[in-house]
């Protein structure tokens, strides 16, 4: 019983302190968030796929370490918003859950209480959408360290991410959230 009540209370807490969004605004930003995250994820996956083809999963780990954040950052200007990824099991420490809102959203998505959502945050709006290990290739870097991740990739992960938490996933597991912060409209 309490497992069902907690997400409802968390959702109520998220919305209780902020002004209500009208349906039209909510839908507009939900659609924008879906479009942005779909495109950003496609760009990232395309680049990671090329890195895997070039030098295998260990090269892809190195590529992500050097390029993934800058790829996402470059798309911020294209979409005129702040795009990021957050996770309780982050690889990059910059992607850790930092705010109470992120922690609450993580809990709701982890319990599959939401598919995606738009929230009022301060004067702006924030869109959240789950990230899943959607392809078998994801498991070469995010799967089981016993069965999915080869020795060279494991070594590269340990070298570049000594505090890595982003392994142990199975196909279609929830592993993070896209977070899109829209600038307030004037």
């Amino acid at each position: 019983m309490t497992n069902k009540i907690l997400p409802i209370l968390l959702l109520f807490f998220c919305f209780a302190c902020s002004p209500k969004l009208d349906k039209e605004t909510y839908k507009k930003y939900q659609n924008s968030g879906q479009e942005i995250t779909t495109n950003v994820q496609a760009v990232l996956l395309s680049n990671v796929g090329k890195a895997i083809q070039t030098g295998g999963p260990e090269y892809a780990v190195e590529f992500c370490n050097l390029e993934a954040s800058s790829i996402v950052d470059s798309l911020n200007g294209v979409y005129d918003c702040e795009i990021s990824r957050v996770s309780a099991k982050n690889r990059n420490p910059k992607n850790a859950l930092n705010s109470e809102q992120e922690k609450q959203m993580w809990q709701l998505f982890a319990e599959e209480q939401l598919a995606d959502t738009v929230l009022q945050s301060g004067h702006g709006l924030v869109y959240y959408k789950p990230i899943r290990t959607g392809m078998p290739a994801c498991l070469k870097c995010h799967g089981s360290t016993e069965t999915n991740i080869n020795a060279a990739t494991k070594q590269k992960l340990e070298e570049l991410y000594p505090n890595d938490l982003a392994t142990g996933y199975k196909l279609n597991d929830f592993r993070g959230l896209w977070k899109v912060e829209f600038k307030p409209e004037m």
Side-chain angles (χ1 to χ4, degrees):
M1 178 84 169
T2 39
N3 288 344
K4 301 257 185 225
I5 294 173
L6 181 62
I8 294 167
L9 290 174
L10 287 172
L11 191 58
F12 174 76
F13 177 75
C14 289
F15 292 110
C17 298
S18 60
K20 299 285 185 219
L21 291 175
D22 61 82
K23 287 180 183 180
E24 185 177 312
T25 301
Y26 183 91
K27 195 66 180 161
K28 172 186 170 186
Y29 283 94
Q30 184 183 38
N31 288 339
S32 292
Q34 287 175 348
E35 178 185 337
I36 290 166
T37 57
T38 298
N39 289 336
V40 172
Q41 188 157 324
V43 169
L44 274 177
L45 290 176
S46 172
N47 281 282
V48 170
K50 288 175 188 171
I52 289 172
Q53 288 177 346
T54 300
E58 59 276 5
Y59 179 75
V61 170
E62 194 166 345
F63 171 84
C64 285
N65 180 266
L66 296 172
E67 302 295 333
S69 292
S70 60
I71 290 171
V72 173
D73 290 346
S74 71
L75 294 169
N76 287 336
V78 171
Y79 293 109
D80 196 29
C81 60
E82 187 72 29
I83 307 161
S84 59
R85 295 169 293 162
V86 296
S87 178
K89 289 180 63 179
N90 55 296
R91 176 159 285 160
N92 182 336
K94 293 177 184 176
N95 298 106
L97 302 175
N98 291 313
S99 71
E100 197 56 41
Q101 183 178 57
E102 289 173 356
K103 292 173 186 173
Q104 291 168 356
M105 290 296 96
W106 179 268
Q107 184 73 29
L108 291 170
F109 281 100
E111 295 177 359
E112 299 184 2
Q113 300 292 319
L114 295 172
D116 66 342
T117 194
V118 178
L119 300 176
Q120 183 82 38
S121 182
H123 296 295
L125 297 175
V126 182
Y127 172 80
Y128 289 98
K129 176 182 173 182
I131 300 170
R132 299 198 173 274
T133 50
M135 300 183 306
C138 299
L139 301 179
K140 292 180 180 186
C141 299
H142 293 286
S144 166
T145 56
E146 308 298 318
T147 58
N148 302 116
I149 302 174
N150 69 35
T153 304
K154 244 189 278 194
Q155 182 178 350
K156 188 57 75 174
L157 285 169
E158 290 169 4
E159 175 189 327
L160 297 175
Y161 301 101
N163 299 311
D164 182 23
L165 302 173
T167 60
Y169 291 102
K170 296 181 206 93
L171 197 57
N172 295 315
D173 277 354
F174 168 61
R175 74 167 216 87
L177 288 170
W178 283 109
K179 179 181 178 186
V180 179
E181 297 174 89
F182 294 100
K183 295 179 180 175
E185 291 184 0
M186 299 294 170

